[in-house]
Amino acid sequence: MSDHDLLRWQFDLTWALFEYHLERLVPEDHLWEPAGSVWTVRDGVPDWAETEPDPVPVPTIAWVSWHLGWWWSVAIDHARERTPRDRVEITWPGPDRVVEWLRGLRDEWVELLPTLDLSAPSTFPWPDRTVGHTAAWVNAELMKNVTEIGQLRLLRAATPGR
């Protein structure tokens, strides 16, 4: 099995777990606030702090899905050798379009992955690593964000009077 094949297998496994939750999301899930202190999205713009607060606010599904779309868009920009977009240029598309947006990023990544020279120097997120490290990071970061979205969805579904 090639490195590309292994990365794709891991990616597909993670994405299949994500689809379980994507198919079950309802619009009200996205902005549900699971705690008193949250990071969310307001009019498409995510909450943000240059210095992470302590304690870190609990993110909403909207915020996590924006975050996922942001870092993935920038990773794709780097892999395609395009000027990476700034964080403020990437807005959350809203509960009716977010799943389509994330699936579009998935399709773009799946098309791009087999063309990547995994041994080439990387420009993102670590300039001292390889493109293979970036691809492995995409899988790890996706897995983390999938887990966060899934857990938030399950918590909301289990919360009386939600």
Side-chain angles (χ1 to χ4, degrees):
M1 175 180 282
S2 73
D3 291 344
H4 280 97
D5 291 339
L6 182 58
L7 287 165
R8 176 64 192 269
W9 176 86
Q10 185 183 46
F11 175 85
D12 286 344
L13 175 63
T14 302
W15 191 264
L17 297 170
F18 198 20
E19 279 295 337
Y20 175 84
H21 295 292
L22 289 177
E23 293 169 358
R24 289 162 178 81
L25 282 173
V26 297
E28 298 77 22
D29 289 339
H30 296 275
L31 294 171
W32 176 68
E33 297 186 2
S37 175
V38 298
W39 272 353
T40 192
V41 177
R42 301 165 209 288
D43 298 320
V45 179
D47 292 335
W48 189 259
E50 291 303 322
T51 303
E52 196 166 73
D54 185 18
V56 175
V58 178
T60 62
I61 289 174
W63 193 92
V64 176
S65 61
W66 163 79
H67 182 258
L68 194 167
W70 165 51
W71 65 254
W72 209 354
S73 295
V74 172
I76 290 169
D77 287 345
H78 279 272
R80 291 200 183 279
E81 298 180 356
R82 299 186 298 221
T83 301
R85 285 165 276 182
D86 188 78
R87 174 182 48 80
V88 298
E89 295 177 68
I90 300 172
T91 59
W92 186 66
D96 297 329
R97 294 187 31 238
V98 67
V99 172
E100 175 186 346
W101 179 48
L102 295 175
R103 286 179 177 148
L105 289 169
R106 177 226 174 262
D107 293 346
E108 191 172 357
W109 184 253
V110 164
E111 178 186 308
L112 179 61
L113 183 59
T115 70
L116 297 177
D117 176 357
L118 300 178
S119 63
S122 177
T123 57
F124 180 79
W126 304 286
D128 62 335
R129 303 289 176 164
T130 66
V131 170
H133 287 98
T134 298
W137 171 80
V138 165
N139 286 352
E141 189 72 17
L142 178 64
M143 194 177 307
K144 178 185 80 70
N145 290 156
V146 165
T147 302
E148 291 168 335
I149 289 171
Q151 188 65 36
L152 287 164
R153 190 191 69 75
L154 291 170
L155 281 170
R156 181 176 181 274
T159 301
R162 57 185 174 108

